[in-house]
Amino acid sequence: MGKYVGQSVPRKEGVDKVTGRSLYVDDIVLDGMIHGITVRSSVPRGKILGVRFDPGVPWDEFVIVTAKDIPGRNVVAMLIEDQPFLADDVIRHPDEPVLLLAHPDKHVLAEAREHVHIDVEPLPAVFAIEDALRADTVLFGDDNVFKRFDVSKGDVDAAFARDDVVIVEGTYETGAQEQMYIEPMGMIAVAAPGQGVTVWGSLQCPYYVHKALKPLFDLPAEQVRVVQTVTGGGFGGKEEYPSIIAGHAALLSWKAGGVPVKLIYDRAEDLAATTKRHPSRTRHRTAVTRDGELVAMDVDFALDGGAYATLSAVVLSRGTIHACGPYRCPNARVVARAVATNHPPHGAFRGFGAPQSIFGLERHMDKIARTLGIAPEELRRRNLLATGDTTATSQVIEEAIDLGAMLDDALSQAGWAEKKAAFAAHNADPANTVKKGMGLATFFHGSGFTGSGEVYLASVVGIEAGPGGRCTVLAASTEIGQGTNTIFSQIAADALRLPYELVEVAQPDTARVPDSGPTVASRTTMVVGRLVQDAAESLIHTLRDAGLLGADYSAEQFAAAVDAYRERFGTLRVYSKYKQPPGIVWDDKHYRGAAYAAYGWAAYIAEVEVDTLTYAARVTDFVAVQDIGTLINPLLAAGQVEGGVAQAIGWAVYEGVDWRDGHMANNQMTNYIIPTAADVPPIRVYFHSVPFKYGPSGAKGVGELPMDGPAPAILNAIEDAIGVSLNRAPALPEDIMEAMLAASSQSEAHHG
Amino acid sequence: MRANVASYDVVAPETLAEALTLLADEPGVWTPMAGGTDLMVLFEAGKLPTGRYLSIHGLPELRGITVDDDAVTIGALTTYSEIRDHAVINADLPMLAQAARETGALAIQNRGTLGGNIANASPAADSPPALVAYGAELTLVSAAGTRTVPYRGFHTGYKQMDLRPGELIHSIRVPRRPASEGWVHFYRKVGTRAYQAISKVCFAACARLSDGGVAEVRVGFGSVAPTVLIASALEAALTGARLDDAGLEAAVAAAARHEVAAIDDIRSTARYRTQVSENLAVAFLHALRAGG
Ligand SMILES: Cc1cc2nc3c(=O)[nH]c(=O)nc-3n(C[C@H](O)[C@H](O)[C@H](O)COP(=O)(O)OP(=O)(O)OC[C@H]3O[C@@H](n4cnc5c(N)ncnc54)[C@H](O)[C@@H]3O)c2cc1C
């Protein structure tokens, strides 16, 4: 480790943020700027018959854009091209953009929106995964399946036929979840024929927006420019939807002849219209010996993709690969499908499909344990992957891992054995109306893009050295609150052997920075951070090769060398490009092989209280033990774990989207309940750091891992507390009540 | 922000007399605005009717807490922070202090007022059940004079109340209920999270015990009916009852279940609200048995 890597140095942009100096998109005002607003459908599915404008509104003061005004192609370029920027003919979800308005006065605009009516002839809609799979109503292709993956290892059917196995089955579901970044989405655009398109806004992936704008305006790459403004959180929610808002703002500006247009969503619109975590359903059928050795796993995993394909295929992919967890099992089969419904498209959210399939698996592991009469920690211990074992995709684990040691550590930090005994005694007393329980989950999370994904991305990072030896990292990876600027600066400063203060990270601007790939998939530190390190090292080599820098140098000597180089050659800028670690072989056709170059590993334990008067579950203690490789910045790493656990607590017991005809009815923070600080227990974070050879200084990804384990651990703990099984997250008080009432009427029927 | 500031008119008189004159001169034109914590939510959502608003926030006559031997009188503009910090309220009217502590969170507690909570007339408000359970009285003022009405019965239907045009809530008088005189207090707010939660059920009950029996009892429910609910059936079941009566649990549960008129809405289900109401009524009985 170097001077900065491994230290909790202060965040690069921290002071600006806490003192209010940072400019978020809605803080920016351009000369002559007008405001935009979106008119949406209100039915989940139908044919557009026409648009009516009420009389009495001075419509000639407004810029009005419909699909007919699109200069290029009306399609949001993503994986497959099915989603329009503006619905033209058919409505596929209740919050679909149909028409855009702009006006200098944003209040006039909000009122005017009420006076535009979209006439739609309704068509039958589909909202449930099972209904979509039945395909009585077809929304996509001929079976509503956006994407299917099959994983196969060993001989599952033969294993189920063995006479020495017990078969355990279960079905598990998870609901949609809102990212609830603190800054709702928004964009400013300046666009005009002949001048190209420039957008500034709150986003995660500048080059995704860039890719989407080119065909929309039929423009070459150099005429489209995307700039990320200071962004208040993303969690995956700003991965794809910003392309739509950028397109809308730019279409308005284009039609207005290049007048800057600002289009900002308020919370209600952001909640209703933009992407959420995919709802899921997982069916497990498992063959296990009486001693608890996993023999075969048969998993049917399904996601509700919503109305358009968007990123569902890749979310599904990650969910598929994580569906069998960090367990050794010689026979495995996973059938995974993402289906079309008439919800707004679901999208990326921290964990990206893995939390959904891990939820099912970790609840199911507890069910297996209960069925066999083995303690849940013991069942897991007997099956944990170790170095040399193979995963469900037949990837040989080569990292030196000891998940068993992490589990033991978690158990002892949580006081598992003593507390379990104390809680059992406490719960047995009927006078105690608040019941207590503990639950755990062991899991892993692959860092970076799946399989050959990083090779296709072919990410590039640059470093430029300027006057006085100041170095600037050039990357499209965005700071969205998670610490990108700080981590990159730490890595670069160490690789350059310069003070942290001499390194800065350029504002992501497609006119200036190369494409270092999207800021997703826990890849920024591990993959892009490594490229930062490589670029920094090659900058030093460049100076050495020019004979300007010795083996040892001070910051002043470095500055002198840079100045000399610049004098002689102009700019000093070097790039590094992604190289795959050796031995990564992935067979996309059979979904087999090395799915990820590295995994984060974890054992989490939740302690809960369930109030049997109000049926509310509260998490009272949380232990999170994980290996994410070397810690570049321990404080930021712990922050990622705490934040991820808090967000997962929300998913587990607070956050329920109230769908009404495909529309989120509770699209206010009053009624979509995220936990506050008062609902989150102390989160005790422990790291077991095993360096990963190909990460920068041995680091792996951390962002998503902490989202994976808490929800099943919490529902396992709820079952431990009340003896009633809840197999759907979120487990809201109403759900816990219904489950408890059903269980007690069942046991009355038994005894009575 | 979906509303247009320019379409609102706000006037802030300096004295109560001035305010009452304005209200009397143009009946039905002015909407009072105290802390604004309910009104501004509507404003933000673009749902606050445009028109003229009378800010009463600065009127000294409506502020402050006074204590005498029998009662605590709370000015309508008293904030939750003032209530939760008040020693006598904490000692003798702990449910009001608890309701204040559990209303919104600190920012709302610094700004929101007890008078506003009453006049906003939301069935989900958290102080009204406690005011029902304490048998509070309201003093109402207008240019025509002052009148005093029992709080029980003030709300006459969903968002309907016995407040005449031109009338303001002046103060709330709450009889003291010291534990030393045998009073037992039982308050539970049930929201999905600990703070910043709108109640799904709110339960407040206060009883005076004597000789192993219930001498006097009042119970209020929130969020289970179109207004704060006076639980008369539950009060009847408990009044005069012996605490060792083995049939009391069933009677209490049945009374609670019978009288709540809960609905399904965006925050919860009728089944949940009804079941939790019953559970809390029984828990109150257990608290009485435990001596409070
Ligand atoms: C984030 C948030 C959280 C909240 N949490 C809770 C909660 O947990 N529990 C809860 O009960 N409430 C809650 N509220 C609602 C609100 O804070 C309370 O109802 C508060 O007591 C309202 O008081 P105010 O002075 O702000 O009322 P205002 O908004 O000023 O007025 C509310 C209504 O009362 C009328 N009014 C006000 N004062 C008088 C008067 N003296 N005479 C006649 N009419 C009058 C007004 O005309 C208006 O119709 C919350 C609000 C917010 C924004």
Side-chain angles (χ1 to χ4, degrees), chain B residues 98 150 264:
Chain B
Q98 192 179 344
D264 287 342

Side-chain angles (χ1 to χ4, degrees), chain A residues 670, chain B residues 30-41 53-54 56-57 62 76-78 80 99 102-105 108-109 111-122 124-128 140 161 163 167-171 189 195-199:
Chain A
T670 327
Chain B
W30 298 95
T31 305
M33 177 155 140
T37 59
D38 275 310
L39 294 177
M40 292 307 284
V41 172
Y53 287 80
L54 184 76
I56 57 172
H57 196 245
L62 304 187
L77 288 177
T78 306
Y80 296 107
E102 296 186 25
T103 292
I108 292 297
Q109 292 169 14
R111 184 83 195 172
T113 67
L114 186 58
N117 201 226
I118 294 170
N120 191 56
S122 161
D126 290 318
S127 289
L140 309 172
M161 59 201 137
L163 191 66
E167 221 168 28
L168 292 176
I169 299 175
H170 176 274
S171 55
K189 166 176 175 169
Y195 295 93
Q196 295 293 26
I198 299 185
S199 287

Side-chain angles (χ1 to χ4, degrees), chain B residues 33-80:
Chain B
M33 177 155 140
T37 59
D38 275 310
L39 294 177
M40 292 307 284
V41 172
L42 297 175
F43 178 81
E44 165 70 27
K47 291 181 182 155
L48 184 69
T50 54
R52 307 177 79 178
Y53 287 80
L54 184 76
S55 172
I56 57 172
H57 196 245
L59 300 181
E61 296 89 337
L62 304 187
R63 304 207 85 94
I65 301 173
T66 53
V67 177
D68 62 34
D69 286 351
D70 303 326
V72 176
T73 303
I74 304 169
L77 288 177
T78 306
T79 63
Y80 296 107

Side-chain angles (χ1 to χ4, degrees), chain A residues 534-556:
Chain A
D534 292 348
E537 282 164 3
S538 83
L539 188 105
I540 298 298
H541 285 261
T542 305
L543 288 173
R544 290 221 173 104
D545 290 351
L548 295 167
L549 202 61
D552 284 313
Y553 52 88
S554 64
E556 292 70 31

